[in-house]
């Protein structure tokens, strides 16, 4: 940041000014001191974690205001890259971070100010879930999780004490299916292009994620084995998208979806019986009383992770508030809130306190539910005896085959993707 | 001050507004279309990469063709419906009150947003939607019709639904100005109803038809959201190419496509205006 600051940002000044005006016009005691309660933090991100419940809880527990804006992944990237002054907190995915960090719109965070840093899951620090884990292909979070210093512009290999994003939420994704409409077991990614489901399949139209789903399918079909799915060559991109373009022309796909809600509607209405899907979308379909399974597949999961990044222009009391927010975020309530929807929290052990033993057993340990499992909105998602699709945290996050990724040939891929959508 | 200077001054405000909000943005788009882009930023340059990629891709031609196809079919349907509705309003409804009431009735759907009117078709046309259920109940079909939704059919249906009024209004307007004596004269001269419509009404409503045509063609050719929602992203027109590029931060490439689209639409309108002189009528 080139501009020197003297302790007041424009916003705090405005707030102060407004308070002063209010103080002089209203018969209230004059307050001159900057108070954290006057802070408003503007957060934006994808719909998954931009929940109004979180904002309400922040207001209750921390006292300041959090304004949430939910956008689709492309819009999030666009905004983080091009409108740095439009937000204070960016709730973005790790692959988006790889794209956006070089613009210099975000500032690195001092891990010594993060109370629960030591308890953050290994995936986000060393890259390994357990010491024996193999690191999956793609943009694994730890590869873009650290920079050399507060102003570092290139990513560091290992933990440095300066984090780009504080991990908040992540999951292992697979295909969602309608078991009632398919009527047989599904165990491979290649089923997405099975002609049996002609006109009843869907894939998501977000290039960075969609290309990874495609790669999983292509490998599963036995067409090609990638040296690194997360970093394809031009030829590999042509091959992958070529296979899907043919399928599209043959009428394999009913629709493509771009937002969470679209995927829910496609599945719930029965337009689609097999598609790329996100875990809470499955939950949303189920809560309407429609059977829907997040099918674990032999080839493993495509995983993603999101985190909170701070805008470069945050400073002073707003920055303190942001750190307070992050510490609160990792302290358990949000984690519990998210885990009860099927996501994982970056610090699972703190979330445990905010879940019942049955919920913890069902969502995290993969145990059969003892009673009804409800989501935070009160919908019943599972009843006694049900187990989570895919099992426990370690089973699911331990079989991740790749992470959502940004490739070296990203621009070429994007153009090819655009052609695929238009083909 | 001479009259000349005063004239210029009087024209200046409008010129400034048009310059700032019409000419300047277009100039910017043209300039940016020659720029380069990285994944997250654009940089000034003068290169033809964007155009090269655009014209070098077979998909571009297909998409332009699809755009013309949508425009042509939508135009034909909105014209038929629009002309019929306007004719009914202008010549069959006798009292002015009823005319106004019916005309307002036509505009009621416009009280809700464009997108809502479009999206409401989706549950109706879906595989298990009302349309399919009804047809099955009536025993007309055994299997749900797949092509009702996420197809060219649904896209064009939505276009026709959204844009017919843009045809009705200008045609109705010109029809109201037709001297009723001309119709009587045609009848006295022995013309049948159809002959009157074809030889008298139609030629006299040409300017209205042309204005409606310009509305519909430009709206359809510039649209992206209808095609996205109604085809479930399975079909594309030029607008979608541009919106995809913007979504993927490829602004220069989007600008290049926009420039080509702009030129295409201008050419189409240029050709249309050769047929009818709308200035005479305005």
């Amino acid at each position: 940041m080139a501009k020197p600051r003297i302790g007041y940002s424009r916003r705090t000044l405005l707030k102060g000014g407004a308070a002063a005006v209010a103080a002089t016009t209203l018969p209230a005691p004059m307050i001159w001191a900057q108070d954290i309660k006057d802070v408003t933090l503007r957060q934006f991100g994808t719909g998954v974690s931009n929940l109004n419940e979180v904002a309400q809880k922040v207001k209750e527990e921390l006292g300041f205001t959090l304004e949430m804006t939910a956008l689709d992944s492309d819009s999030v990237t666009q905004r983080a890259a091009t409108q740095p002054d439009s937000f204070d907190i960016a709730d973005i995915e790790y692959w988006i971070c790889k794209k956006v960090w070089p613009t210099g719109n975000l500032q690195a965070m001092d891990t010594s100010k993060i109370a629960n840093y030591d308890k953050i899951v290994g995936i986000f620090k060393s890259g390994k879930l357990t010491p024996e884990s193999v690191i999956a292909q793609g943009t694994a979070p730890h590869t873009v999780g650290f920079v050399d210093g507060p102003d570092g512009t290139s990513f560091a290999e290992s933990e440095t004490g300066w984090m780009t994003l504080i991990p908040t939420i992540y999951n292992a994704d697979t295909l969602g299916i309608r078991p009632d409409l398919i009527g047989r077991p599904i165990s491979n990614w290649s089923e997405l292009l099975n002609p049996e489901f002609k006109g009843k399949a869907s894939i998501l139209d977000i290039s960075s994620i969609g290309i990874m789903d495609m790669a999983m399918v292509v490998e599963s079909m036995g067409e090609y084995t990638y040296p690194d799915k997360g970093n394809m060559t031009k030829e590999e991109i042509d091959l992958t998208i070529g296979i899907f373009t043919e399928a599209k022309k043959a009428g394999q796909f009913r629709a493509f979806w771009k937002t969470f809600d679209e995927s829910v509607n496609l599945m719930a209405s029965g337009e689609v019986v097999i598609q790329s899907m996100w875990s809470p979308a499955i939950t949303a379909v189920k809560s309407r009383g429609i059977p829907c399974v997040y099918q674990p597949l032999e080839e493993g999961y495509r995983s993603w992770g999101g985190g909170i990044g701070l805008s470069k222009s945050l400073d002073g009391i707003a920055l303190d508030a942001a750190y307070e927010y992050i510490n609160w975020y990792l302290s358990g309530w949000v984690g519990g809130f998210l885990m009860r929807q099927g996501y994982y929290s970056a610090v699972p052990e703190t979330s445990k306190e905010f879940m019942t033993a049955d919920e913890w057993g069902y969502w995290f340990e993969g145990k059969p539910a003892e009673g009804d499992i409800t989501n935070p909105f009160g919908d019943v998602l599972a009843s006694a005896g049900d187990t989570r699709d895919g099992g426990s945290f370690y089973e699911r996050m331990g079989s991740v085959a790749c992470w959502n990724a940004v490739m070296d040939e990203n621009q070429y891929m994007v153009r090819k993707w655009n052609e695929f959508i238009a083909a | 001050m001479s009259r000349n200077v005063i004239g210029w001054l009087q024209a200046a405000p409008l010129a400034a507004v048009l310059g700032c909000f019409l000419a300047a943005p277009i100039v910017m788009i043209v300039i940016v279309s020659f720029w380069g882009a990285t994944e997250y930023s654009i940089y000034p340059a003068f290169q033809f990469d964007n155009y090269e990629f655009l014209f070098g891709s077979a998909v571009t031609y297909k998409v332009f063709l699809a755009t013309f196809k949508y425009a042509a079919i939508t135009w034909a349907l909105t014209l038929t419906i629009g002309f019929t509705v306007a004719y009914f309003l202008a010549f069959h409804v006798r009292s002015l009150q009823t005319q106004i009431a019916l005309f307002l009735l036509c505009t009621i759907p416009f009280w809700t947003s464009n997108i809502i009117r479009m999206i409401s078709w989706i549950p109706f046309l879906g595989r298990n939607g009302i349309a399919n259920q009804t047809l099955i109940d009536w025993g007309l079909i055994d299997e749900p019709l797949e092509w009702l939704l996420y197809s060219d059919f649904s896209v064009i249906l939505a276009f026709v639904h959204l844009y017919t009024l843009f045809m009705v209004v200008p045609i109705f307007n010109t029809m109201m100005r037709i001297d009723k004596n001309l119709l009587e004269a045609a009848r006295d001269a022995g013309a049948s109803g159809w002959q009157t419509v074809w030889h008298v009404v139609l030629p006299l409503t040409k300017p209205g038809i042309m204005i409606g045509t310009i509305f519909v063609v430009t709206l359809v050719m510039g649209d992206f959201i209808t095609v996205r929602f109604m085809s479930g992203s399975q079909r594309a027109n030029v607008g979608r190419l541009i919106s995809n590029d913007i979504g993927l931060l490829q602004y220069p490439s989007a600008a290049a496509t926009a420039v080509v689209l702009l030129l295409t639409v201008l050419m189409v309108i240029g050709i249309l205006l050769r047929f009818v002189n709308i200035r005479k009528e305005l």
Side-chain angles (χ1 to χ4, degrees):
Chain A
M1 200 70 211
K3 274 184 261 171
R5 290 270 169 91
I6 341 164
Y8 293 104
S9 72
R10 186 180 48 197
R11 195 169 319 106
T12 50
L13 267 180
L14 279 175
K15 290 262 173 197
V21 170
T24 45
T25 50
L26 300 167
M30 296 256 280
I31 303 164
W32 289 104
Q34 288 296 321
D35 191 358
I36 204 160
K37 288 191 169 44
D38 294 335
V39 172
T40 298
L41 293 176
R42 297 160 303 162
Q43 174 176 331
F44 79 107
T46 50
V48 286
S49 49
N50 265 275
L51 300 157
N52 285 326
E53 285 80 357
V54 174
Q56 277 165 19
K57 199 78 181 170
V58 165
K59 188 79 197 168
E60 274 170 36
E61 300 205 344
L62 302 177
F64 53 83
T65 309
L66 189 66
E67 285 174 4
M68 301 275 205
T69 312
L71 301 164
D72 66 64
S73 307
D74 286 337
S75 313
V76 166
T77 315
Q78 194 178 342
R79 190 145 168 192
T82 59
Q83 302 168 41
D85 291 329
S86 72
F87 64 89
D88 302 308
I89 293 177
D91 175 8
I92 58 180
E93 282 183 47
Y94 278 88
W95 61 268
I96 297 178
C97 176
K98 187 173 176 184
K99 271 188 171 182
V100 170
W101 192 266
T103 61
N105 291 345
L106 299 175
Q107 57 175 304
M109 281 166 274
D110 185 353
T111 56
S112 63
K113 291 192 191 170
I114 312 294
N116 283 315
Y117 177 75
D118 294 333
K119 295 180 190 161
I120 291 177
V121 170
I123 297 171
F124 299 98
K125 297 197 289 192
S126 63
K128 296 189 170 199
L129 179 62
T130 60
E132 307 83 51
S133 304
V134 180
I135 294 170
Q137 297 177 348
T139 307
H142 72 286
T143 59
V144 293
F146 296 93
V147 286
D148 294 325
D151 296 314
T153 49
S154 54
F155 298 113
E157 300 272 317
S158 56
E159 293 175 65
T160 57
W162 294 97
M163 255 186 155
T164 55
L165 299 183
I166 295 294
T168 52
I169 180 173
Y170 54 102
N171 209 343
D173 283 1
T174 179
L175 295 177
I177 61 165
R178 280 283 299 268
D180 56 326
L181 298 178
I182 289 182
R184 70 176 175 84
I186 296 288
S187 52
N188 297 92
W189 279 87
S190 58
E191 300 278 9
L192 187 67
L193 291 191
N194 188 338
E196 187 185 335
F197 307 123
K198 190 180 162 197
K200 295 178 179 175
S202 175
I203 190 168
L204 78 176
D205 174 17
I206 298 171
S207 56
S208 304
I209 307 174
I211 190 81
M212 303 310 289
D213 276 358
M214 284 183 172
M216 295 297 287
V217 171
V218 168
E219 262 191 4
S220 165
M221 289 166 82
E223 295 280 342
Y224 183 74
T225 307
Y226 301 87
D228 182 359
K229 285 187 273 298
N231 206 0
M232 298 187 195
T233 62
K234 284 189 178 179
E235 291 72 34
E236 287 169 343
I237 293 170
D238 285 345
L239 170 100
T240 315
I241 295 187
I243 290 173
F244 272 76
T245 307
E246 255 175 59
K248 182 186 173 189
K249 285 185 177 158
Q252 180 71 11
F253 301 108
R254 181 65 169 157
F256 298 137
W257 60 266
K258 208 161 189 160
T259 64
F260 177 86
D261 300 319
E262 283 178 287
S263 73
V264 173
N265 289 336
L266 282 174
M267 206 63 161
S269 63
E271 297 291 340
V272 160
V273 299
I274 183 167
Q275 66 169 351
S276 344
M277 229 170 158
W278 295 338
S279 161
I282 302 275
T283 324
V285 176
K286 272 190 187 168
S287 63
R288 297 189 192 178
I290 296 164
C292 187
V293 171
Y294 211 28
Q295 186 61 48
L297 302 166
E298 281 170 18
E299 295 83 4
Y301 295 90
R302 173 188 54 74
S303 193
W304 59 273
I308 291 177
L310 302 183
S311 163
K312 196 85 177 178
S313 52
L314 262 186
D315 56 7
I317 192 163
L319 183 61
D320 293 340
Y323 270 109
E324 205 171 310
Y325 171 57
I326 288 166
N327 278 320
W328 172 80
Y329 207 107
L330 297 180
S331 71
W333 184 86
V334 189
F337 188 78
L338 294 172
M339 282 180 74
R340 284 188 290 141
Q341 296 175 66
Y343 298 109
Y344 292 121
S345 143
V347 193
E349 51 183 287
T350 57
S351 313
K352 193 174 179 178
E353 298 160 32
F354 292 85
M355 299 167 80
T356 66
D358 193 24
E359 283 171 343
W360 177 258
Y362 176 82
W363 289 117
F364 193 81
E365 295 176 324
K367 288 181 187 162
E370 285 159 18
D372 280 353
I373 299 287
T374 55
N375 69 6
F377 314 106
D379 305 312
V380 177
L381 302 177
S383 38
D386 292 350
T387 49
R388 181 174 188 172
D389 304 329
S392 74
F393 173 71
Y394 289 98
E395 279 174 81
R396 297 183 80 246
M397 290 312 293
S399 2
V400 169
C402 64
W403 289 89
N404 288 349
V406 180
M407 315 181 177
D408 295 341
E409 292 292 348
N410 184 52
Q411 227 172 336
Y412 181 77
M413 192 276 285
V414 158
R415 287 190 149 162
K416 282 287 160 187
W417 184 271
N418 206 350
E419 287 191 354
F420 164 66
I421 295 301
Chain B
M1 265 192 283
S2 75
R3 291 175 59 108
N4 211 347
V5 174
I6 293 172
W8 279 109
L9 280 177
Q10 283 172 331
L14 183 63
V17 167
L18 286 179
C20 289
F21 297 108
L22 182 72
I26 293 177
V27 171
M28 279 304 295
I29 291 173
V30 174
I31 293 173
V32 171
S33 73
F34 293 100
W35 285 19
T38 64
E39 275 164 40
Y40 51 84
S41 67
I42 56 178
Y43 57 90
F46 186 73
Q47 54 188 28
F48 290 89
D49 288 20
N50 302 310
Y51 289 99
E52 237 168 70
F53 194 88
L54 191 65
F55 289 114
S57 163
V59 171
T60 310
Y61 299 98
K62 270 187 56 188
V63 168
F64 266 89
L65 204 67
T67 311
F68 278 114
K69 182 183 75 184
Y70 287 137
I73 300 176
T74 310
W75 173 77
L77 292 172
T78 50
L79 176 60
T80 317
I81 300 171
F83 187 87
T84 317
V85 172
Y87 185 86
F88 176 79
L89 282 177
F91 297 119
H92 274 261
V93 181
R94 293 302 164 99
S95 91
L96 191 64
Q97 271 93 354
T98 328
Q99 256 175 356
I100 293 173
L102 288 176
F103 187 77
L104 286 178
L105 201 66
C106 287
T107 64
I108 283 179
F110 283 75
W111 295 357
T112 61
S113 114
N114 213 327
I115 293 186
I116 290 177
R117 271 180 292 146
M118 174 173 77
I119 287 180
S120 47
W121 281 108
I122 293 176
F124 181 79
L125 296 173
R127 184 175 285 139
N128 305 312
I130 303 171
N132 269 322
Q133 289 299 338
T134 314
L135 290 174
I136 290 175
D137 287 347
W138 288 350
L140 292 174
I141 49 169
D142 302 322
E143 290 276 299
L145 299 172
E146 300 276 320
W147 52 263
L148 282 184
L149 186 59
Y150 301 135
S151 60
D152 281 344
F153 170 80
S154 55
V155 172
I156 288 168
L157 181 73
F159 274 142
V160 171
H161 174 213
L162 294 179
Y163 299 142
T164 297
L165 195 69
F166 291 97
M167 212 43 130
V168 175
V169 176
I171 296 180
F172 176 67
N173 190 33
T174 39
M175 277 182 178
M176 288 301 281
R177 288 199 253 162
I178 294 175
D179 190 344
K180 297 282 194 298
N181 291 330
L182 291 175
L183 303 182
E184 283 173 27
R187 186 157 191 128
D188 291 347
S192 69
W194 280 112
Q195 279 173 323
T196 314
V197 170
W198 189 254
H199 294 290
V200 180
V201 178
L202 191 67
L204 287 172
T205 44
K206 264 189 191 167
I209 294 176
M210 199 49 61
I211 294 170
T213 303
I214 292 172
F215 274 132
V216 171
V217 168
T218 48
L219 282 170
V220 171
M221 290 192 73
D223 172 274
F224 69 98
I225 199 84
T226 311
V227 175
R228 159 149 148 60
F229 279 114
M230 296 309 292
S231 79
S233 296
Q234 297 298 292
R235 302 285 189 281
N237 65 350
V238 183
R240 279 226 67 205
L241 278 189
I242 298 173
S243 97
N244 283 349
D245 271 336
I246 291 174
L248 299 162
L249 299 178
Q250 303 297 311
Y251 291 109
S253 160
T257 316
V259 168
V260 175
L261 178 64
L262 181 66
L263 292 177
T264 319
V265 173
L266 285 179
M267 277 193 291
V268 170
I269 292 177
I271 293 167
L272 289 174
L273 291 182
R274 303 288 294 187
F275 290 116
V276 181
N277 182 4
I278 53 168
R279 280 195 195 175
K280 215 168 58 186
E281 291 296 321
L282 287 176

